[in-house]
Amino acid sequence: MTMSAAHVTSREYKIMLRAAMFTGTEDIVLRKADAFRHASETPIRAVAFDIDGTLDSVSKRRRIRFVDTPGQHLRRHDYILRERTDVVTGQRETTLKFRHPDRYVAQDCHLSTDEPDWGTAKFEEDIKPPHHSLYSFSTTLEIGAGRRLDRLKDATGLYPGLADQLPSIDGHEPISTVGASTIRELVLTGADIQIGRSPKVEAKCALIVWYDLDKDPESPVVVEFSFRYGDKNEQYAGAVARHAHDAFLSLQGPALADWVDPESMTKTSYVYS
């Protein structure tokens, strides 16, 4: 795969909210999500075409853990290896992601799998406040419940290209849950922001709530709001990008100061802190 030809198929804008605002039962979380959605309506409609829908649909319930060596060999080389398990179905998947602020470094990273037609690869742009881009190339695989993920060779068995990217790799080096923390994730969806009129372009919104399973089950540790839009051929109109940019800035304005937490750690930073 020639990554120099990779297209950014998704652009996702992420902002951290005050986790304490979402403390309580799931019903309370849903009410607070709806309150945030309505609080964001006026500032967003001032710069974009519309925002509609509600954040009242629980689309995912998952357990998440990040794995790395004791010395964080993967993280130090800009890799993240994440395992997700669907709480309802038990479906298990791994994602290996290479993330970098330089687009051309990120898209040159080859993350092959041990089966040519197995797995979903993505090249994406994440935008964080005030407007900083990170690019990531990732491959997600569904794996069986019994598949081991205890040593680096288990990771390179899933992603053979990883061995070529890591210097002085020792396949027998152990890997384990980073920070010994497993996360319970609740993903709320149902709202969208219209950022293009002709043609109509809608950015899908999500509110992601993380709970540390070793802590209070009703006290989130991080809460993130995001919206994303995409194009498989990377044909992003300037006017659409401008509306997305302005909507993102509006979320950082004084109207939402009670909700947005400029000091909050990101999800990944929380795990690795």
Side-chain angles (χ1 to χ4, degrees):
M1 185 175 185
T2 304
M3 293 313 299
S4 59
H7 295 305
V8 173
T9 58
S10 174
R11 308 188 74 219
E12 185 171 10
Y13 298 75
K14 300 179 177 182
I15 193 163
M16 307 309 297
L17 305 183
R18 299 186 188 277
M21 297 284 286
F22 296 85
T23 298
T25 64
E26 188 171 300
D27 285 342
I28 291 174
V29 172
L30 290 169
R31 289 200 298 271
K32 289 298 183 72
D34 186 59
F36 169 76
R37 152 67 181 84
H38 282 90
S40 67
E41 189 167 311
T42 297
I44 286 178
R45 281 184 171 166
V47 295
F49 295 108
D50 196 11
I51 178 171
D52 56 24
T54 58
L55 291 167
D56 61 356
S57 174
V58 179
S59 63
K60 295 181 179 68
R61 301 178 191 273
R62 299 186 285 206
R63 292 189 305 274
I64 300 174
R65 70 183 189 114
F66 290 65
V67 296
D68 208 332
T69 68
Q72 299 185 359
H73 194 64
L74 296 175
R75 176 71 163 168
R76 286 189 290 107
H77 290 90
D78 300 309
Y79 286 93
I80 294 171
L81 181 57
R82 180 185 65 211
E83 177 187 309
R84 287 170 166 166
T85 303
D86 188 287
V87 172
V88 177
T89 66
Q91 179 180 310
R92 185 176 173 224
E93 67 178 28
T94 62
T95 297
L96 180 65
K97 178 178 292 189
F98 180 85
R99 181 180 287 165
H100 201 275
D102 191 307
R103 174 196 173 125
Y104 301 100
V105 172
Q107 73 179 29
D108 191 51
C109 180
H110 184 58
L111 298 175
S112 62
T113 68
D114 66 352
E115 295 289 342
D117 298 320
W118 183 31
T120 302
K122 296 180 181 179
F123 185 51
E124 303 170 287
E125 180 185 7
D126 288 344
I127 299 100
K128 300 182 179 182
H131 192 109
H132 298 305
S133 292
L134 280 174
Y135 296 90
S136 63
F137 181 68
S138 64
T139 301
T140 297
L141 309 172
E142 290 187 21
I143 62 173
R147 186 78 182 239
R148 297 182 67 87
L149 205 57
D150 300 326
R151 298 185 181 276
L152 269 178
K153 66 178 182 179
D154 298 327
T156 57
L158 291 170
Y159 305 93
L162 179 62
D164 298 328
Q165 301 290 333
L166 296 178
S168 305
I169 188 171
D170 177 3
H172 294 284
E173 187 170 4
I175 56 177
S176 59
T177 304
V178 176
S181 295
T182 298
I183 300 297
R184 177 172 67 90
E185 180 181 72
L186 191 69
V187 181
L188 308 180
T189 57
D192 57 69
I193 301 171
Q194 186 181 347
I195 54 176
R197 175 168 285 165
S198 183
K200 186 177 184 179
V201 179
E202 293 181 325
K204 301 300 182 183
C205 301
L207 194 140
I208 301 172
V209 187
W210 270 20
Y211 302 86
D212 191 322
L213 287 181
D214 293 330
K215 298 182 179 181
D216 185 343
E218 293 187 355
S219 296
V221 291
V222 287
V223 178
E224 175 190 276
F225 175 75
S226 68
F227 63 91
R228 73 163 71 200
Y229 70 109
D231 186 280
K232 65 180 181 179
N233 297 314
E234 199 177 344
Q235 298 298 307
Y236 298 113
V240 172
R242 168 65 71 178
H243 286 302
H245 167 81
D246 290 349
F248 191 48
L249 290 185
S250 76
L251 294 173
Q252 303 171 52
L256 294 172
D258 290 341
W259 290 96
V260 174
D261 187 354
E263 306 299 325
S264 173
M265 290 184 287
T266 63
K267 301 194 303 294
T268 304
S269 295
Y270 173 80
V271 170
Y272 276 88
S273 63

